[in-house]
Amino acid sequence: MAARYNDLKELNFAQIAAETLEFWKKEGIFEKSVTNREGAPSFTFYEGPPSANGTPGIHHVMARTVKDIFCRYKTLQGFQVKRKGGWDTHGLPVELQVEKQLGITKDDIGRKISIEEYNRKCRETVMMYKDQWDDLTLKMGYWVDLKNPYVTYEKEYIESLWWLLKQFYNKKLLYKGYTIQPYSPAAGTGLSSHELNLPGCYKDVKDTSIVAQFTVKRDAKSAFLFPDAFGDKVYIMAWTTTPWTLPSNTSLVVGEKIQYVQVNTYNPYTHKPVSVVVAKDLLGKYFSEKNKDLALDAYKAGDKAIPYQVVRAFTGKDLVGIAYEQLLPYVQPLYDADKAFKVIAGDFVTTEDGTGVVHASPTFGADDFRVSKQQGIPPITVKDEAGNEVPTVDRKGKFIDAIGQQLQAGVARYNIKTHKPLGPADFYVKNYTNEDESNPDYKNTDVIISIILKEENKAFKVEKYEHTYPHCWRTDKPVLYYPLDSWFIRTTALKDKMVALNKTINWKPESTGTGRFGNWLENLVDWNLSRSRYWGTPLPIWRSKDGKEEICIGSLEELNNEVAKAVKAGHMAAPLSPDFDLHRPYVDDVVLVSASGQPMYREPDLIDVWFDSGAMPYAQWHYPFENKEIFEKNYPADFIAEGVDQTRGWFFTLHAIAAMIQDSSPEVQAVNKKTGNGGVAFKNVISNGLVLDKNGNKMSKSKGNVVNPFETLSKYGADIVRWYMIENAPPWDNLKFDFEGIVEVQRRFFGTLQNTYSFFALYANIDGFVKDESNVVPYEKLTSLDRWIISKLQSLITEVTRAYEEYEPTRAARAIQDFVNDHLSNWYVRLNRKRFWKGEMSEDKKAAYETLYECLLVTAQLMSPIAPFFSEWLYRNLTDNIREVAVTNGTPLRHPSVHLTDLVQAEANRTDAELEKSMAYAQQICSLVHSIRKNARIKVRTPLQRILLPVLDTAFATRIKTVEEIILAEVNVKSIDYMDDTSGVLVKKVKPNLPKLGKQYGPKMKEVAAVIATLTADDIRTLEKQGALAKGGFDLALDDVLISSEDIPGWSVATEGAVTVALDITLTEPLRREGIARDFVNRVQNLRKDMGLEVLDKIAIEVGKPDDAVTAALTDFKEYISTETQALTLDFREALVEATEVDMDDFTLTVKISLKK
RNA sequence: GGGCUUGUAGCUCAGGUGGUUAGAGCGCUACACUGAUAAUGUAGAGGUCCGUGGUUCGAGUCCACGCAGGCCCA
């Protein structure tokens, strides 16, 4: 007979995967899983585009497993889940790779290589590893539509981006401003953070550092500082390693929680009495402890030991809002001057160095710029000839004349000897003019400022300070942090809305949403969109030379129209060709004409690639130029998932663009209104953690601990890797990737499941069992074990469904695993084995098959989102042989693939909570009996007479009785005696029910517990009968105590929780004989197996005559022995030849088995 | 430096709303079972719940401060 069920003993999971892939491909299962649900509600998933210019790693298997799980699950649930793939193709990594390939630097672009050539190279490189990615996608079983992916460099994609930008522009959300960036005056160029991280850029240098004294203005806010102020003036001390920024100071930053002190002392340079404010922790840096007790008035100018006295302590919070006098009043703020020169709070202030007060100049520090902007502090800037606002240091690194003149005057006023006469145009903030520093009179600008401050009683301490400072990799000169032009998206305008919208998003884990992402939104600054690069989406803004006229282009049509005008005006020679490439350099050659007839040139920047990916909800469909309906159906995403490192990347850009487009496009607003979306881009998001090596280290090539995803997948198969990743820990925890863990999953879960299946297949093939959906044994006729596992299965369905619904895949996987291992294999199958191999097909046997079949089938379906290959294999093995019938009848098993089926629903009427509880007791009692047997050294094969079970309440007894047979069979005991307190043997004892008593009595707990400890047996009986008892001044209720059983004297007892079991371990002669008989059966079975006999072969047994007791045992149980061992005869012989010596533990037997035909 | 996060057995992890003796799997040791058999079951050993304080009748759990690892940002 041909086997109906594939009963392969050894499974090659990788091979199953390969075969399944073949099947999916041939039958178009993925496509069907989408088209099948045509017309059904859609579940929208957005694929975050990977960049194919790098190779995929094992962490991509993790991220994509998470994505795949929920798309598959939602498909099972009846949703249509389209998953458009995509590729991220622009940006710095691509450019860097090309530069590396070509052996050039950024500087060579436009010189050694044209932009055209360079960008062509970028376009080629972008898809360099696409094959590997496609291969990974396939092999790991990630279902995503890669036939029609969105590609961010395509013209249509860029057009959608331009449309978005134009909407923002129209709403004045797109503007040109400046931000503080690393800038090399020597090279005249801004530096990217990656250029700053080139080796050798950070150098240790010695710079002049100053602790400056800022004079506090006396007013209501600062009044508390003055009562004890020495010399009538109070100074706040701030430290800087860049004295040249002091003329641009507009605020002082303190830490709100930092402790500060006010100190009366003398200025070490001017010897004037001063009262200064400094962080308490840094006091020792400026004052020597031993001068603490010196009298202030005993000090004479020039004394080495300067006395000091701490007069007051307070926190930074008390200082916030205090006004001070401008330190170097050379240039005034252009605007908001009344808001300048204030103490503000900032989170970046520390007490590691300096004074615990940071001086801020918004034009020359990124932190300074940020906090100033947030708190409305103006910068010190001036207008240049063109009327543009510029900082006080020019692009060559030189102070503007207004400051130069003041410094020149200072040099003259204080007779500062310099290496050469200094004019107003000679004050470079660093040595960018290659002055001879070895000249003894050489003084740089920092030193000159220091001297001026010392003279004017504005410096408390000046010293050389060694620190690391970034240098330009081209010129080797110090970098300045300098305001550079950039285009921004005014995300701050919608901050509150974005914060509010974020609260409507379901984040897994929650803390990433409320914490990391939420905090980021709270501290939002405008999004700097500009990138001075070559390969990316060009900024679609054209400007006239004077910057007074500009246009933002929002579509190709608009561009063509404008070009037509330009052609007319003579700025362009011809219209754009239909296949015009929107990239640089072509787009740079487009010159448009302004309303006043001026030529307008494109702003040379590209936009941040994160805008590319954040715009994918719209641009993937070329919205709004095409596919409006598809867009409407698929906006916003129901679900997205990426690594936690995307929090400020993709998650943010999706969120920001969605919030802003909701604000600026009536069209998108209308779409949102239809679906009741407030303006989010995604509703549920999983941010998964990192994949580390097994020791918790980051994987890196240099450490050599990188796991190759392809090797891993082909060795273990995708299912096991996927299952391991999900089951081991929640996806948002970092995963310590360990092959031993994978092996364990394979053995423990997949091995067990496979074993359970092949057990089924083995006997189902023998019995010719075929599932008939129209003819199943009715529920009432099932055994209690059947009903129990069915009930467990219903609970499993409920639990797994809920876990998936709540985006908790780990909980789902663990629930399935527990079900298969603990309940299905270890209990149901083990206890039911005999039903499968005894006798002919009967209704009971059929019920057993059907039950096991259903468990396997449902397991296959529930696990299919996580382990798509094995579940498919299992499903098809179980159902292929009835497919035709199922198709004809239109029953649930008509689908050729588990991934096309409809998710099972838990059936309440097949759930039996009572039975589940009873069975749990049965398992517990068996475990207890085993433990007693163990202690008494009585093996399970030896039958025992009875179990004594103390019964605390009747419900308990009822429960046990329904599973009594199971217990008795499992532990080989003849009977259970239930013992209640009428028996006189059972002694009850009570323990306090702490959770309840705690709430009621609180601090009196100990008293009550003491009283409860004194309750007598009579008391307990009264309490049980009447439900209440007054004792020791307390009114006790029945549920104030937990009743359990005392140990039973003279019995072997085991207790766990409230369950106590006693076992009668008396071995009577009949029991002993039965034990011998069972032992004997066991030995004969072993011999049969050794001889290689088939299950149905008949034998004759001959035994060398043993002693009387054993003879009696074997004779008594002759029939039993014969049945079990398929023996036709059992005879005793005085002498046996060619017999086997058999060890019966306490004695030996000689046995001879022969086959009887 | 800031935000978030993790710390429980040798390893990987569970431990609603505080409750008496902190659990599971693997690994280890021992035993059992022997018609799922390169399978299976049972038991045992193994813990400063990262530390220190605090709140409470009671803290692995709540609070504060630390320590160590991770991520992101400066």
Side-chain angles (χ1 to χ4, degrees):
Chain A
M1 178 179 61
R4 289 190 168 84
Y5 299 96
N6 184 346
D7 60 349
L8 278 174
K9 288 279 178 219
E10 289 210 21
L11 277 191
N12 180 336
F13 289 92
Q15 196 187 331
I16 287 181
E19 286 167 12
T20 306
L21 279 176
E22 194 55 39
F23 167 71
W24 286 349
K25 190 179 169 191
K26 197 170 135 223
E27 301 290 326
I29 299 297
F30 172 41
E31 292 75 11
K32 276 185 190 156
S33 80
V34 178
T35 53
N36 253 8
R37 305 295 189 191
E38 203 61 66
S42 59
F43 176 84
T44 303
F45 165 74
Y46 288 162
E47 163 78 336
S51 176
N53 81 314
T55 53
I58 193 75
H59 58 289
H60 292 111
V61 177
M62 174 82 204
R64 302 173 122 210
T65 298
V66 173
K67 297 175 182 185
D68 198 45
I69 286 170
F70 295 98
C71 290
R72 285 180 190 270
Y73 166 71
K74 284 291 170 179
T75 302
L76 288 180
Q77 234 188 2
F79 291 91
Q80 185 176 40
V81 190
K82 291 182 172 156
R83 311 81 138 159
K84 194 178 177 69
W87 297 106
D88 190 18
T89 56
H90 281 149
L92 194 63
V94 183
E95 295 201 31
L96 292 180
Q97 193 169 41
V98 167
E99 284 165 28
K100 204 171 153 193
Q101 270 175 28
L102 299 179
I104 59 170
T105 69
K106 189 185 167 191
D107 281 350
D108 298 326
I109 303 163
R111 293 181 208 159
K112 284 189 191 163
I113 182 172
S114 68
I115 297 175
E116 187 174 2
E117 177 69 8
Y118 179 78
N119 273 0
R120 197 179 56 74
K121 199 80 197 163
C122 285
R123 188 187 293 248
E124 282 168 11
T125 309
V126 147
M127 290 299 182
M128 192 145 110
Y129 298 107
K130 181 172 179 294
D131 288 353
Q132 281 198 34
W133 278 90
D134 286 346
D135 195 36
L136 185 82
T137 304
L138 193 73
K139 292 213 174 115
M140 68 165 289
Y142 178 42
W143 274 0
V144 61
D145 177 10
L146 285 177
K147 289 199 181 111
N148 309 291
Y150 62 92
V151 180
T152 59
Y153 71 57
E154 282 176 352
K155 195 173 190 172
E156 290 77 16
Y157 199 93
I158 294 176
E159 189 181 22
S160 288
L161 260 57
W162 282 14
W163 175 79
L164 286 167
L165 288 168
K166 171 99 186 202
Q167 310 312 304
F168 300 160
Y169 183 84
N170 288 345
K171 261 272 179 172
K172 303 225 179 322
L173 292 171
L174 189 61
Y175 71 95
K176 192 171 188 176
Y178 68 87
T179 177
I180 307 302
Q181 293 166 36
Y183 171 78
S184 168
T189 173
L191 299 172
S192 67
S193 58
H194 124 267
E195 284 174 299
L196 226 48
N197 283 326
L198 289 171
C201 275
Y202 279 88
K203 293 186 188 190
D204 286 333
V205 290
K206 272 192 176 169
D207 278 328
T208 302
S209 76
I210 298 186
V211 173
Q213 296 175 186
F214 291 79
T215 314
V216 172
K217 282 188 182 167
R218 188 167 187 165
D219 58 17
K221 188 87 203 160
S222 63
F224 76 100
L225 291 169
F226 284 89
D228 305 306
F230 195 33
D232 228 30
K233 276 196 173 180
V234 182
Y235 303 92
I236 296 174
M237 300 211 296
W239 178 70
T240 178
T241 56
T242 52
W244 61 271
T245 60
L246 287 170
S248 317
N249 168 278
T250 48
S251 68
L252 293 174
V253 192
V254 296
E256 278 193 305
K257 289 182 193 161
I258 296 175
Q259 293 282 324
Y260 294 89
V261 288
Q262 181 182 5
V263 184
N264 286 344
T265 186
Y266 292 89
N267 182 291
Y269 305 116
T270 61
H271 314 297
K272 289 184 181 168
V274 289
S275 189
V276 297
V277 172
V278 63
K280 192 179 168 194
D281 291 349
L282 291 158
L283 198 60
K285 225 175 150 66
Y286 304 99
F287 304 100
S288 168
E289 182 76 24
K290 59 182 185 234
N291 298 338
K292 188 175 65 174
D293 300 322
L294 295 180
L296 276 176
D297 48 12
Y299 174 79
K300 294 187 301 295
D303 282 358
K304 265 197 175 167
I306 302 177
Y308 76 99
Q309 195 176 30
V310 174
V311 293
R312 184 170 281 102
F314 39 86
T315 63
K317 212 169 171 182
D318 300 316
L319 293 171
V320 172
I322 287 179
Y324 62 88
E325 289 170 15
Q326 188 178 6
L327 187 74
L328 294 168
Y330 300 161
V331 179
Q332 295 305 310
L334 263 181
Y335 49 87
D336 290 342
D338 57 316
K339 291 184 181 131
F341 316 122
K342 297 267 167 60
V343 177
I344 59 175
D347 57 16
F348 55 89
V349 182
T350 73
T351 54
E352 293 228 322
D353 227 329
T355 61
V357 183
V358 173
H359 114 78
S361 56
T363 45
F364 301 119
D367 271 333
D368 314 32
F369 177 75
R370 181 171 54 85
V371 295
S372 300
K373 190 140 186 156
Q374 275 168 0
Q375 311 210 24
I377 306 286
I380 297 224
T381 50
V382 295
K383 293 249 172 169
D384 67 4
E385 305 87 36
N388 295 319
E389 189 184 337
V390 295
T392 53
V393 173
D394 69 14
R395 290 194 153 234
K396 295 206 162 67
K398 173 172 68 76
F399 269 124
I400 57 167
D401 282 1
I403 290 181
Q405 282 156 11
Q406 295 279 355
L407 293 177
Q408 187 189 24
V411 169
R413 191 177 333 131
Y414 304 116
N415 291 316
I416 301 171
K417 195 173 179 194
T418 56
H419 61 293
K420 69 174 190 188
L422 293 175
D426 286 325
F427 291 93
Y428 284 82
V429 300
K430 297 277 172 187
N431 188 1
Y432 293 122
T433 47
N434 294 318
E435 302 295 320
D436 175 13
E437 294 186 13
S438 62
N439 184 321
D441 288 330
Y442 171 75
K443 293 191 178 58
N444 67 25
T445 303
D446 283 344
V447 172
I448 290 168
I449 289 173
S450 308
I451 295 170
I452 293 172
L453 290 175
K454 278 185 189 171
E455 293 287 346
E456 295 180 350
N457 195 34
K458 288 173 180 169
F460 192 83
K461 190 167 188 179
V462 174
E463 62 183 353
K464 290 281 181 194
Y465 181 79
E466 186 167 340
H467 62 152
T468 57
Y469 195 84
H471 289 69
C472 170
W473 61 275
R474 292 189 194 105
T475 62
D476 219 25
K477 294 285 184 191
V479 161
L480 299 185
Y481 287 89
Y482 195 83
L484 295 176
D485 285 341
S486 279
W487 283 86
F488 291 89
I489 292 185
R490 205 182 300 279
T491 39
T492 48
L494 280 125
K495 180 181 131 179
D496 293 345
K497 189 173 169 187
M498 283 163 65
V499 169
L501 282 173
N502 182 42
K503 289 179 180 152
T504 70
I505 295 170
N506 176 31
W507 281 85
K508 300 300 284 188
E510 194 192 345
S511 59
T512 300
T514 55
R516 190 181 281 216
F517 196 66
N519 291 337
W520 160 252
L521 291 179
E522 293 286 353
N523 296 307
L524 204 60
V525 293
D526 285 346
W527 180 359
N528 183 358
L529 210 56
S530 293
R531 295 292 183 275
S532 324
R533 301 292 312 191
Y534 299 94
W535 177 239
T537 303
L539 193 67
I541 292 174
W542 275 258
R543 267 197 166 196
S544 60
K545 276 225 160 116
D546 59 8
K548 296 222 165 88
E549 291 175 279
E550 66 183 26
I551 185 172
C552 178
I553 299 293
S555 69
L556 275 175
E557 190 187 351
E558 192 179 354
L559 182 65
N560 283 321
N561 291 342
E562 292 301 321
V563 166
K565 285 188 208 165
V567 171
K568 224 177 198 175
H571 297 315
M572 292 272 289
L576 305 177
S577 76
D579 60 350
F580 181 73
D581 184 349
L582 294 180
H583 285 95
R584 296 184 71 179
Y586 316 106
V587 71
D588 296 334
D589 297 336
V590 174
V591 180
L592 301 180
V593 59
S594 75
S596 70
Q598 302 296 311
M600 295 195 290
Y601 303 94
R602 199 184 69 82
E603 288 285 287
D605 291 340
L606 300 182
I607 63 170
D608 185 1
V609 281
W610 286 111
F611 194 93
D612 283 15
S613 50
M616 63 71 71
Y618 325 90
Q620 69 172 334
W621 303 114
H622 193 209
Y623 183 83
F625 306 101
E626 286 183 81
N627 302 317
K628 285 195 181 183
E629 276 174 35
I630 298 180
F631 172 78
E632 282 187 23
K633 270 189 86 173
N634 291 286
Y635 188 80
D638 290 296
F639 168 64
I640 61 170
E642 298 292 334
V644 67
D645 52 331
Q646 294 294 334
T647 308
R648 291 170 189 201
W650 196 50
F651 295 155
F652 171 69
T653 58
L654 276 177
H655 190 65
I657 293 175
M660 287 188 304
I661 199 67
Q662 154 75 8
D663 201 58
S664 50
S665 159
E667 209 169 346
V668 173
Q669 229 171 65
V671 173
N672 278 334
K673 201 173 171 190
K674 249 191 221 172
T675 56
N677 175 26
V680 296
F682 49 91
K683 294 178 185 167
N684 299 286
V685 51
I686 292 182
S687 74
N688 53 267
L690 267 61
V691 180
L692 308 168
D693 77 2
K694 67 173 181 179
N695 299 316
N697 298 313
K698 211 169 168 170
M699 290 185 186
S700 72
K701 277 181 192 155
S702 57
K703 280 188 200 144
N705 59 353
V706 177
V707 171
N708 181 312
F710 296 100
E711 286 170 14
T712 309
L713 288 177
S714 72
K715 184 162 179 197
Y716 298 98
D719 285 324
I720 292 167
V721 178
R722 287 170 62 131
W723 194 272
Y724 164 70
M725 287 177 152
I726 294 304
E727 185 269 346
N728 188 265
W732 35 88
D733 283 356
N734 289 345
L735 173 69
K736 286 188 212 163
F737 192 89
D738 188 354
F739 287 106
E740 283 181 33
I742 296 186
V743 172
E744 188 183 322
V745 163
Q746 174 165 14
R747 240 169 25 83
R748 173 120 189 102
F749 175 60
F750 284 90
T752 305
L753 182 55
Q754 147 64 13
N755 243 309
T756 306
Y757 165 76
S758 61
F759 173 84
F760 167 83
L762 177 67
Y763 293 106
N765 282 335
I766 292 173
D767 283 322
F769 169 80
V770 175
K771 166 85 174 185
D772 179 350
E773 288 176 278
S774 65
N775 173 21
V776 295
V777 178
Y779 182 70
E780 309 78 56
K781 299 218 172 151
L782 303 182
T783 67
S784 62
L785 265 170
D786 292 340
R787 290 204 309 272
W788 170 77
I789 196 71
I790 293 289
S791 178
K792 277 283 180 193
L793 186 67
Q794 306 312 308
S795 308
L796 177 72
I797 296 168
T798 308
E799 196 181 341
V800 169
T801 307
R802 189 188 305 136
Y804 282 136
E805 264 330 289
E806 292 172 0
Y807 294 94
E808 294 272 1
T810 306
R811 253 171 41 201
R814 287 177 180 172
I816 294 167
Q817 193 163 308
D818 288 350
F819 174 80
V820 168
N821 288 347
D822 297 347
H823 305 312
L824 186 60
S825 167
N826 180 22
W827 198 251
Y828 180 77
V829 172
R830 193 161 58 80
L831 268 51
N832 273 305
R833 276 182 295 188
K834 282 193 177 157
R835 281 169 83 195
F836 290 91
W837 51 263
K838 277 215 164 148
E840 295 297 307
M841 197 66 170
S842 63
E843 186 168 61
D844 174 66
K845 198 170 188 180
K846 183 161 173 280
Y849 277 122
E850 282 168 358
T851 304
L852 182 53
Y853 181 92
E854 181 180 353
C855 289
L856 289 168
L857 192 66
V858 171
T859 299
Q861 193 190 44
L862 293 177
M863 73 189 284
S864 69
I866 306 174
F869 297 106
F870 183 78
S871 57
E872 185 78 312
W873 181 88
L874 187 52
Y875 173 84
R876 293 184 61 212
N877 273 310
L878 289 170
T879 60
D880 271 357
N881 58 23
I882 56 159
R883 183 85 60 239
E884 268 179 55
V885 182
V887 170
T888 311
N889 298 336
T891 51
L893 298 183
R894 67 188 181 280
H895 300 288
S897 161
V898 71
H899 303 290
L900 301 177
T901 56
D902 297 316
L903 190 67
V904 287
Q905 307 281 321
E907 295 170 62
N909 57 6
R910 294 213 291 165
T911 306
D912 189 340
E914 268 306 300
L915 183 57
E916 288 194 34
K917 276 181 200 153
S918 300
M919 200 62 77
Y921 276 129
Q923 290 171 329
Q924 197 182 358
I925 290 168
C926 287
S927 162
L928 290 170
V929 172
H930 277 129
S931 128
I932 299 172
R933 275 181 170 278
K934 171 92 186 161
N935 284 331
R937 297 180 190 282
I938 302 172
K939 55 190 170 191
V940 181
R941 235 183 339 245
T942 310
L944 289 171
Q945 194 54 49
R946 58 176 182 153
I947 292 169
L948 212 56
L949 201 60
V951 175
L952 299 166
D953 58 86
T954 49
F956 177 71
T958 314
R959 278 192 185 136
I960 303 302
K961 275 173 189 158
T962 63
V963 291
E964 191 179 291
E965 290 305 316
I966 293 166
I967 298 171
L968 294 177
E970 175 68 5
V971 297
N972 197 14
V973 175
K974 300 292 180 196
S975 67
I976 298 181
D977 286 1
Y978 298 89
M979 179 174 64
D980 57 23
D981 45 359
T982 59
S983 68
V985 184
L986 173 63
V987 180
K988 288 184 176 176
K989 63 178 176 184
V990 287
K991 282 195 287 190
N993 182 5
L994 292 171
K996 175 157 191 292
L997 291 172
K999 285 197 187 82
Q1000 199 175 338
Y1001 293 105
K1004 283 183 158 177
M1005 267 293 292
K1006 288 205 167 126
E1007 281 177 60
V1008 190
V1011 170
I1012 289 173
T1014 66
L1015 292 188
T1016 63
D1018 280 345
D1019 287 336
I1020 296 168
R1021 213 165 295 131
T1022 312
L1023 187 55
E1024 277 189 300
K1025 278 207 181 107
Q1026 311 194 340
L1029 180 76
K1031 180 135 187 179
F1034 292 100
D1035 290 322
L1036 296 173
L1038 187 53
D1039 60 352
D1040 284 344
V1041 297
L1042 301 171
I1043 298 173
S1044 58
S1045 156
E1046 291 271 14
D1047 287 354
I1048 304 154
W1051 286 68
S1052 296
V1053 173
T1055 303
E1056 185 186 292
V1059 178
T1060 299
V1061 174
L1063 184 65
D1064 185 348
I1065 54 170
T1066 330
L1067 271 179
T1068 61
E1069 192 51 33
L1071 290 175
R1072 200 188 305 274
R1073 285 184 186 177
E1074 187 181 339
I1076 290 172
R1078 290 181 64 141
D1079 259 344
F1080 184 71
V1081 167
N1082 164 244
R1083 303 305 192 271
V1084 172
Q1085 299 286 32
N1086 285 346
L1087 289 176
R1088 282 183 58 116
K1089 217 159 91 188
D1090 291 345
M1091 291 166 67
L1093 297 187
E1094 293 297 321
V1095 174
L1096 299 176
D1097 287 340
K1098 304 293 181 197
I1099 54 165
I1101 306 175
E1102 295 164 277
V1103 185
K1105 182 108 174 94
D1107 67 30
D1108 289 351
V1110 176
T1111 309
L1114 298 186
T1115 313
D1116 283 0
F1117 289 91
K1118 184 170 177 178
E1119 198 181 323
Y1120 162 78
I1121 295 167
S1122 305
T1123 317
E1124 288 292 316
T1125 62
Q1126 307 273 6
L1128 298 176
T1129 55
L1130 170 59
D1131 299 305
F1132 298 104
R1133 305 273 188 246
E1134 289 300 337
L1136 264 181
V1137 282
E1138 290 176 41
T1140 316
E1141 189 97 334
V1142 172
D1143 181 10
M1144 296 282 286
D1145 291 344
D1146 301 331
F1147 54 94
T1148 56
L1149 281 180
T1150 48
V1151 179
K1152 184 177 177 186
I1153 306 246
S1154 37
L1155 180 62
K1156 286 273 180 184
K1157 290 276 156 104

